[in-house]
Amino acid sequence: MRVVSGSAKGRPLKSVPGTGTRPTTDKVKEAMFSMIGPYFDGGAALDLFAGTGGLGIEALSRGMDQAVFVDMEQKSIDTVRANLKAARVEEQAEVYRNDAGRALSALEKRGRSFDLVFLDPPYRLKYGNELMLTMVQKGLLRQDAVIVLEHESSYEYPEVIPGFRRTRQAVYGETAVSIYKYEASPQEETGNAKEGNDESAD
């Protein structure tokens, strides 16, 4: 793996030891960023299931000002830190070991918000849409924020999720990428927060 484009182009990235992670291939990464960028004029990114950190690092290389990386596995956290250093973007990054739900609550307490979010949960966990609603509820998304949801190609997320509209979708073998745009009005955000509470109460 490597950084595909931008200020850190060509810098090699380490994989997480073992077989527990499923890093996004360079081919998929390049296609993904061509759909959402390909370059950015500042902003903040969240890489919620960071793994190697490759997606968040790519976003920093392509112009994001800062990025937050979250993973619950220590091996992944160590790999993210090593890759940030290799790409020379560690000063623009924050790295936290936590599960997704707790991380979102912690980011809410810190008053953080994001322009770009990468969601690549384990394929067995089909709850990307619930996480998106939780982010709305917690005020973590800026208007027009882009969500990149990576999932198993055999699974279909809704085209419309309250507050979000799917703008692009692409399939690469067993991997699918669904791009959503957050476009809720203030009135809609209130309703979405209630829906998010209903779903997360299960």
Side-chain angles (χ1 to χ4, degrees), residues 120-131:
D120 186 12
Y123 281 174
R124 69 181 185 280
L125 301 177
K126 311 285 197 294
Y127 70 153
N129 49 341
E130 295 173 31
L131 289 171

Side-chain angles (χ1 to χ4, degrees), residues 17 23 57 83 93 106 120-121 123 146 176 186-187 193:
I57 290 170
N83 285 337
D120 186 12
Y123 281 174
V146 172
Q187 292 83 1

